[in-house]
Amino acid sequence: MEPRARHRLRPLALLPAAAVLVSACKLYLPGTEDSEGDTGVRFLIAPTPHAAVRDLELPVEAVELERSDGEEHRIDFEAPVTVSFAADLDAGFLDTEVFASESLPVGEYRRLTLRVDADAVFFVPADTGQAEALVLPGDGRLNYESEFQLEAGDDETLVLQPDLHSGLSFDGNEFSLGTSHIITTTARSGGLSFLDLPACPEPGVYLFEGFDQDPVDLGDGDGPFFSLWLEEAGTSLADVRYVPSGKYSVIPACNVGTENLGSGDGTEFREDDAVNVEVEDEMCITVEFGSGAGSAEQC
């Protein structure tokens, strides 16, 4: 049997987003030679905008983190912590603090799991405004497979940012939620803001790892690192608040809803408006399609 450490915490309330701007399933955080000892961990879930979703709330009963050596640490809550996956653009972005100051071993991790009460999921599509049933994988066990590192020294703020556009699907009968995502820390990520989205139906933004990447549809090969389906075009503003440091191709698109919650001819990538951008730790960049990336500024 794998060793397991168990913890019990009281649920915490919604807190405003940190100063970083504002959510891919692989994230590599810096390694460390010090693989022993514990560090204090604060865990946030960062909701993301999605044109087809008004609200999506999950009651989390426990969180599990699995180290690369198979050791598992589980944190149980005395009462479920309700977390939001969908950002309310009118009310502003709110991160959910799932737990704070939990002591966890430093080192390499390979999985983060949310254990959710599947019978109490709250999901409201934007087009109807009426609550719908939502199918979760594994009886409410949401496994986010990622390689990430908890380091010794300063406390870590770990972030899960769900990709609703990639993760949410509709098969004609029911909605289901997959586990497309970003896992990072606030100290090892920056923010991106997007201006002047294409003036077209169902605009969106796709991030691909590396400069000058060719766009790939969802579910085709490796797919995008992260994707957004946004409500408006033209001068709309949208953010991805926690993007791991690195190089990205940012490509706007139209008709992005055809990949999941709709039907049609498919996504139309606007490759002529693609922008290469390098994200730095705790720095924020505004990407204006048609004009390029602005200067990085402290978030």
Side-chain angles (χ1 to χ4, degrees):
M1 180 180 293
E2 295 178 347
R4 171 177 292 184
R6 299 176 67 91
H7 312 258
R8 185 169 295 277
L9 297 177
R10 296 182 183 276
L12 297 172
L14 290 175
L15 295 180
V20 248
L21 281 176
V22 62
S23 88
C25 58
K26 48 183 182 288
L27 243 312
Y28 307 103
L29 305 185
T32 177
E33 295 181 358
D34 185 0
S35 61
E36 298 181 355
D38 293 347
T39 186
V41 177
R42 178 182 182 225
F43 177 44
L44 304 177
I45 292 180
T48 52
H50 191 290
V53 180
R54 178 178 297 179
D55 199 5
L56 196 164
E57 296 186 358
L58 305 174
V60 178
E61 299 177 318
V63 175
E64 296 173 354
L65 293 96
E66 183 181 354
R67 290 164 52 93
S68 58
D69 61 5
E71 181 181 346
E72 185 178 277
H73 294 265
R74 174 165 167 161
I75 300 161
D76 292 290
F77 304 109
E78 293 183 357
V81 178
T82 300
V83 301
S84 177
F85 272 19
D88 185 340
L89 294 179
D90 294 329
F93 295 101
L94 294 174
D95 294 342
T96 303
E97 186 174 74
V98 185
F99 61 77
S101 301
E102 181 68 14
S103 181
L104 292 170
V106 300
E108 296 179 354
Y109 287 76
R110 66 187 183 192
R111 175 180 57 81
L112 186 152
T113 297
L114 302 180
R115 287 189 171 269
V116 176
D117 181 355
D119 294 329
V121 173
F122 188 72
F123 169 58
V124 180
D127 58 349
T128 67
Q130 303 296 318
E132 298 273 0
L134 180 65
V135 177
L136 302 182
D139 297 322
R141 182 185 172 95
L142 298 174
N143 290 320
Y144 295 94
E145 306 290 341
S146 287
E147 296 179 6
F148 61 94
Q149 185 92 22
L150 295 181
E151 296 186 348
D154 295 337
D155 289 353
E156 296 275 19
T157 299
L158 187 64
V159 179
L160 166 65
Q161 190 161 294
D163 184 341
L164 282 183
H165 177 52
S166 178
L168 191 64
S169 61
F170 182 61
D171 65 3
N173 295 308
E174 60 187 11
F175 295 93
S176 59
L177 181 66
T179 52
S180 296
H181 63 287
I182 289 173
I183 293 180
T184 187
T185 65
T186 54
R188 299 292 182 265
S189 58
L192 293 176
S193 291
F194 308 110
L195 289 173
D196 291 330
L197 302 177
C200 61
E202 300 181 319
V205 177
Y206 290 73
L207 275 67
F208 297 88
E209 291 183 282
F211 287 167
D212 301 318
Q213 296 297 303
D214 294 326
V216 179
D217 288 329
L218 297 179
D220 184 4
D222 289 338
F225 180 78
F226 200 79
S227 58
L228 296 174
W229 176 4
L230 302 166
E231 295 181 288
E232 299 177 359
T235 58
S236 298
L237 170 66
D239 300 324
V240 182
R241 294 178 288 162
Y242 303 107
V243 181
S245 302
K247 296 179 179 180
Y248 298 90
S249 299
V250 182
I251 305 176
C254 301
N255 297 322
V256 303
T258 61
E259 291 178 293
N260 270 300
L261 298 180
S263 61
D265 295 330
T267 300
E268 298 176 8
F269 289 103
R270 299 295 185 96
E271 297 177 65
D272 290 343
D273 294 323
V275 177
N276 288 331
V277 61
E278 184 164 4
V279 177
E280 302 175 32
D281 294 348
E282 300 181 311
M283 302 296 286
C284 290
I285 300 174
T286 297
V287 175
E288 189 170 357
F289 294 113
S291 300
S295 300
E297 298 180 354
Q298 189 74 33
C299 292

